[in-house]
Amino acid sequence: MAVQQSLENKAKAPELSIVVPVFKEAANIVPLVQLVEAAFEDDSWELIFVDDNSPDGTAEQVKAIAAKDPRVRCIRRVGRRGLSGASIEGMLSSSARYVAVMDGDLQHDERVLVRMLALIRAQGVDLVIATREREGASITGLSGQRSLVSDFGRFLSRLVIKADVKDPMSGFFMVRREIVEQAAPKLATEGFKILADLLATADKPLSIRETPYVFRERQHGESKLDARVAFDYLGFLLHHLTGRLVPVRFFLFGLVGASGVVVHLLSLKLMLANFPSYGFDISQTTATFIAMMSNFLLNNGLTYRDRRITGWSLVPGFLLFAASCSIGVVANVGLARLIFSEGQEWWVAGLAGALTGAVFNYVTSSILVWRKKA
Ligand code: GDD
Ligand code: MN
């Protein structure tokens, strides 16, 4: 009884949670809250900022506002990085009927939220995407190179996304919360393709609306998405093409491994051409070392960049990586020899050995070298 009464006295719970993943956006927080407040006529919303422990005081900015305004909250994550993971955690912390994800750098037009809310309230609509417009208004905030990447990404996304949407790479959308709740365990926390992932993962076909807006130029801070997002995206597509059985990171690891073969052969050729007196064995050993080093650095910068090792820790990191690769070689050769001796084709035995070695290296280096921070 008492609980019932006190609940009735409380302010109304928000209908919409606006999740804003932020990393180093300190200068954008105050203006963003003001703009969102101005865009809505009532208090049907709340703002949930998800900060990955930015060094520039982003979380402090949010908390200073949150201390006075109950519509604003801050989730500060430590030891983790990533736009998708941050967005998912923000959405899962909501208990509102609808959740939206919006960038925290003022590039997304907050006035569109009101339009999206009106659209999603309609019977049967599951998801509303704010689509960056090309014609007329055009994507002013996207550089030429970026929009080319986005076009290509959209083309590739057709392979895994059944729904026909104009902008599956948009970071600006609103969805019924229950859809995220269902999909959450299957969503990848790495990378930044949260909407594309949701579209590829949802078990039932979603009823989608799209609404155009003009992507604004960034005023403060800088973009965190660079050429590496293309690499992540490839992993994302392969992950979905395998029915989500194989983790995104394994593909990234595999892509780096494949680049190692090229590095190895190039180094070997250079050694043999420039230092013929060393002979084949030394050249091959040197090439192996260079390829291992290159794999280590690429995995550190790309595959595991959210758990990146820096400074002097690179030395023990590399030694551990080299050690786990060496054990991988033993597993690889052992299995290949066994299969070959059973009378299989040479390439079947070779491939099985190489795959086993890759899985082995992936598992050991995830556990030993790039440990998840506690
Ligand atoms: N918490 C957290 N952790 N937030 C992050 C991280 C992270 O690791 N990386 C980026 N963000 C935040 C930024 O602070 C910003 O609020 C938002 O995510 C978008 O990041 P930007 O770095 O500004 O991305 P962009 O403008 O280059 O990319 C835009 O286009 C992409 C598609 O091409 C964004 O709209 C993306 O969401 C979109 O996927
Ligand atoms: Mn941006």
Side-chain angles (χ1 to χ4, degrees):
M1 223 24 219
V3 175
Q4 190 74 39
Q5 264 168 10
S6 68
L7 277 177
E8 275 160 14
N9 291 337
K10 291 239 169 75
K12 253 180 84 190
E15 181 186 15
L16 168 70
S17 299
I18 307 159
V19 173
V20 186
V22 278
F23 189 69
K24 293 201 266 181
E25 303 288 2
N28 290 317
I29 303 297
V30 172
L32 184 79
V33 176
Q34 285 169 348
L35 287 170
V36 168
E37 186 162 37
F40 284 92
E41 278 172 359
D42 53 17
D43 283 348
S44 52
W45 55 275
E46 67 175 341
L47 264 171
I48 305 170
F49 287 90
V50 188
D51 172 59
D52 286 353
N53 206 21
S54 303
D56 70 344
T58 301
E60 285 87 333
Q61 289 284 332
V62 177
K63 289 186 184 192
I65 303 174
K68 295 186 206 124
D69 189 339
R71 296 170 303 181
V72 178
R73 283 205 275 142
C74 179
I75 297 176
R76 177 181 163 218
R77 307 197 307 164
V78 291
R80 273 171 294 170
R81 262 304 299 278
L83 180 45
S84 284
S87 307
I88 294 166
E89 272 184 50
M91 291 192 279
L92 292 182
S93 81
S94 160
S95 44
R97 183 189 286 256
Y98 309 113
V99 289
V101 174
M102 180 171 82
D103 287 356
D105 56 2
L106 312 177
Q107 289 199 274
H108 289 167
D109 187 340
E110 67 295 329
R111 290 168 301 180
V112 180
L113 287 166
V114 181
R115 214 156 72 210
M116 293 161 95
L117 186 59
L119 283 168
I120 206 168
R121 275 176 182 150
Q123 186 73 37
V125 177
D126 296 315
L127 170 71
V128 180
I129 304 170
T131 303
R132 290 165 287 190
E133 217 18 276
R134 275 144 213 276
E135 297 89 37
S138 91
I139 310 189
T140 48
L142 272 190
S143 64
Q145 195 193 357
R146 271 298 289 284
S147 78
L148 195 78
V149 170
S150 247
D151 280 345
F152 186 58
R154 205 175 113 192
F155 164 76
L156 287 177
S157 71
R158 293 275 144 91
L159 295 172
V160 299
I161 296 170
K162 278 102 217 155
D164 184 27
V165 298
K166 285 207 198 86
D167 195 359
M169 323 278 272
S170 174
F172 194 13
F173 58 91
M174 194 179 290
V175 60
R176 303 178 74 86
R177 181 171 54 83
E178 68 213 44
I179 292 174
V180 182
E181 300 276 2
Q182 271 163 18
K186 298 179 207 146
L187 296 174
T189 52
E190 307 101 24
F192 66 105
K193 289 297 160 224
I194 171 75
L195 175 62
D197 203 10
L198 199 61
L199 289 167
T201 304
D203 11 274
K204 60 159 190 155
L206 299 177
S207 158
I208 304 167
R209 300 282 179 280
E210 289 181 84
T211 183
Y213 77 103
V214 182
F215 192 65
R216 291 192 290 232
E217 303 269 3
R218 208 182 229 282
Q219 305 294 332
H220 310 280
E222 55 191 40
S223 170
K224 280 99 218 165
L225 306 187
D226 51 26
R228 289 182 295 200
V229 302
F231 179 74
D232 276 341
Y233 193 59
L234 215 56
F236 163 82
L237 290 173
L238 291 167
H239 166 71
H240 279 285
L241 286 173
T242 56
R244 293 194 303 276
L245 280 175
V246 186
V248 175
R249 223 190 271 275
F250 179 75
F251 284 110
L252 304 183
F253 194 82
L255 287 170
V256 168
S259 81
V261 176
V262 178
V263 171
H264 180 101
L265 291 178
L266 280 177
S267 315
L268 182 60
K269 188 172 158 62
L270 282 174
M271 282 295 291
L272 292 173
N274 294 305
F275 307 100
S277 60
Y278 284 155
F280 186 81
D281 285 3
I282 290 183
S283 300
Q284 170 72 358
T285 309
T286 312
T288 305
F289 188 81
I290 293 174
M292 214 144 66
M293 181 78 101
S294 149
N295 279 3
F296 173 71
L297 293 174
L298 285 173
N299 277 320
N300 193 44
L302 296 169
T303 315
Y304 294 99
R305 72 170 178 275
D306 53 335
R307 307 180 195 170
R308 195 167 31 226
I309 306 169
T310 52
W312 284 106
S313 310
L314 281 166
V315 178
F318 175 65
L319 293 176
L320 268 174
F321 180 74
S324 68
C325 288
S326 316
I327 309 172
V329 168
V330 177
N332 169 348
V333 176
L335 186 82
R337 184 198 289 148
L338 189 74
I339 294 179
F340 190 65
S341 69
E342 297 288 317
Q344 278 289 350
E345 297 279 351
W346 63 270
W347 60 269
V348 176
L351 197 65
L355 271 174
T356 309
V359 172
F360 187 91
N361 286 350
Y362 171 70
V363 173
T364 47
S365 55
S366 301
I367 296 171
L368 296 175
V369 188
W370 291 281
R371 240 187 326 254
K372 223 180 203 151
K373 287 179 198 149

